[in-house]
């Protein structure tokens, strides 16, 4: 604790020296810094980065802002730069008192925050139904649905390659001299690319970190087709019937060639719906709460506007 004044007035000298001293004496796994409400998060972040440049073991983990969901609008108006700076520079925004708001007012608060920070993960679920691991995962951006789905596609593609290698080896060993009618050529040196498509301001799934492209073979699709991902985070609640209808619609082809869809969304009665979709098959189940509702769809030639309308986000 620094009692000699506001932390933002001491960042260059005392604060930097304190971080060095803590690192030298205790070698901690984590250092948590809680500045006062009038400390600019951008200044605190810069001070930590400056110290980390001379401390090889120290890296800036994440920047979290806690915001009262019931007072976002008035605080933005009354406190201006001090408040907005903390919102704008946060990697994660934890909303408090969300259980006191209607779905419409919560969505309005999220929209205000999104105007200031389109990339942060915004935790809208009441804290008492979350555990520390979920919040930490959100802070460290390890809860990436798009990345999970792309990994599934990569594993399937690797299995597909393996099966082709096995089949080709069997034909070569046959030796019967007959033409089996299999003339498929598979280039195992083909470059694999994944094309990221901008998800829009509402999405913080993290897929923007992967700017390379990725082509896959899947369900008869040509390797030259480019897979894109669309995703949103939303406090909107759904019914199981609405999710089932939306997933069935994905199978019609009206929203592009959808290869995967995955999501965790809340319901009005507090139950959380977990769903997975592959062409011709969908799974809906109940599970643990998430930090906010999340949806992700992967495929080619996705109709983003149609997907937004379909899910009502």
């Amino acid at each position: 604790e620094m009692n000699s004044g506001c932390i933002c007035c001491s960042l260059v000298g005392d604060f930097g020296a304190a971080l060095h001293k803590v690192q030298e004496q205790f070698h901690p796994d984590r250092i948590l810094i809680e500045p006062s409400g009038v400390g600019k998060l951008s200044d605190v972040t810069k001070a930590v980065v400056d110290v980390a440049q001379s401390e090889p073991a120290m890296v800036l983990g994440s920047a979290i802002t806690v915001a009262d969901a019931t007072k976002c609008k008035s605080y933005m108006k009354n406190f201006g730069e001090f408040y907005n700076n903390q919102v704008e520079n946060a990697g994660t925004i934890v909303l408090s008192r969300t259980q006191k708001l209607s779905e419409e007012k919560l969505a309005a608060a999220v929209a205000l925050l999104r105007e200031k920070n389109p990339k942060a993960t915004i935790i809208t679920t009441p804290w008492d139904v979350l555990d520390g691991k979920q919040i930490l995962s959100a802070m460290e951006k390890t809860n990436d649905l798009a990345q999970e789905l792309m990994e599934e596609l990569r594993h399937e593609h690797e299995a597909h390659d393996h099966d082709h290698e096995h089949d080709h080896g069997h034909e070569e060993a046959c030796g019967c001299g007959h033409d089996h009618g299999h003339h498929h050529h598979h280039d195992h040196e083909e470059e694999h690319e994944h094309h990221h498509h901008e998800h829009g301001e509402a999405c913080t799934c993290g897929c923007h970190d992967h700017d390379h492209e990725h082509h896959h073979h899947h369900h008869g699709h040509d390797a030259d087709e480019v897979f894109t991902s669309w995703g949103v985070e939303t406090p909107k609640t759904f019914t199981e019937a609405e999710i089932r209808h939306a997933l069935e619609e994905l199978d019609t082809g009206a929203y592009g060639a959808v290869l995967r869809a995955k999501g965790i969304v809340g319901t009005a009665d507090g139950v959380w719906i977990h769903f997975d979709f592959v062409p011709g098959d969908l799974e809906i189940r109940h599970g643990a709460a998430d930090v906010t509702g999340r949806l992700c769809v992967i495929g080619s030639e996705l109709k983003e506007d149609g997907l937004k309308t379909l899910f009502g986000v």
Side-chain angles (χ1 to χ4, degrees), residues 7-283:
I7 190 172
C8 60
C9 301
S10 311
L11 286 175
V12 177
D14 294 346
F15 179 69
L19 277 183
H20 283 296
K21 188 174 182 180
V22 167
Q23 176 66 18
E24 179 183 341
Q25 288 188 347
F26 304 106
H27 305 291
D29 295 321
R30 291 182 186 273
I31 300 175
L32 305 181
I33 301 166
E34 184 183 4
S36 67
V38 294
K40 286 187 178 180
L41 185 53
S42 60
D43 289 343
V44 177
T45 299
K46 182 180 183 303
V48 173
V49 171
D50 289 345
V51 172
Q53 289 178 350
S54 59
E55 291 281 358
M58 188 182 294
V59 293
L60 178 64
S62 54
I64 305 98
T65 290
V66 179
D68 186 332
T70 67
K71 298 179 180 178
C72 290
K73 188 174 182 178
S74 64
Y75 283 179
M76 283 182 178
K77 179 181 178 181
N78 295 327
F79 299 116
E81 183 183 3
F82 287 113
Y83 187 83
N84 292 335
N85 183 275
Q86 296 203 23
V87 170
E88 292 164 355
N89 290 277
T92 303
I93 300 172
V94 183
L95 285 183
S96 64
R97 298 180 172 85
T98 57
Q99 65 270 37
K100 295 185 176 182
L101 292 180
S102 66
E103 183 176 327
E104 291 74 20
K105 289 186 176 180
L106 178 57
V110 170
L112 283 174
L113 295 169
R114 278 273 169 251
E115 289 179 7
K116 302 295 182 184
N117 190 330
K119 295 182 178 180
T121 296
I122 300 181
I123 298 180
T124 58
T125 302
W127 303 348
D128 55 1
V129 296
L130 297 174
D131 60 35
K133 290 181 180 179
Q134 289 174 299
I135 295 175
L136 184 61
S137 177
M139 287 162 45
E140 296 182 341
K141 307 294 186 183
T142 57
N143 54 350
D144 188 341
L145 292 183
Q147 190 171 359
E148 288 180 27
L149 295 181
M150 279 299 174
E151 284 300 317
E152 289 180 15
L153 290 172
R154 290 190 187 98
H155 289 318
E156 287 186 5
H157 182 69
E158 290 169 0
H160 178 79
D161 282 353
H162 177 76
D163 289 343
H164 269 277
E165 290 172 357
H166 178 77
D167 290 344
H168 289 190
H170 176 75
E171 289 174 11
E172 291 168 2
C174 178
C176 68
H178 294 291
D179 183 356
H180 291 273
H182 190 153
H183 299 290
H184 174 70
H185 171 70
H186 192 80
D187 183 3
H188 297 287
E189 299 302 321
E190 169 188 318
E191 181 183 358
H192 300 300
E193 300 182 309
H194 164 230
H195 168 70
H196 166 68
H197 192 88
E198 181 62 39
H199 289 203
E201 290 189 351
C203 177
T204 57
C205 71
C207 196
H208 58 273
D209 293 330
H210 309 282
D211 287 331
H212 53 286
E213 296 186 350
H214 204 119
H215 292 281
H216 294 268
H217 293 287
H218 184 73
H219 291 292
H221 292 272
D222 294 333
D224 290 336
E225 286 187 333
V226 179
F227 293 173
T228 60
S229 58
W230 169 86
V232 295
E233 292 188 351
T234 175
K236 174 181 169 63
T237 59
F238 295 81
T239 65
E240 191 168 319
E242 288 172 335
I243 291 297
R244 185 173 298 277
H245 168 74
L247 297 181
E248 289 172 347
E249 284 293 305
L250 294 182
D251 233 354
T252 65
Y255 300 90
V258 178
L259 300 182
R260 285 286 191 283
K262 188 181 187 74
I264 305 172
V265 295
T267 66
D269 58 3
V271 175
W272 282 75
I273 296 172
H274 294 225
F275 67 81
D276 291 275
F277 166 90
V278 296
D281 188 24
L282 61 91
E283 179 186 358

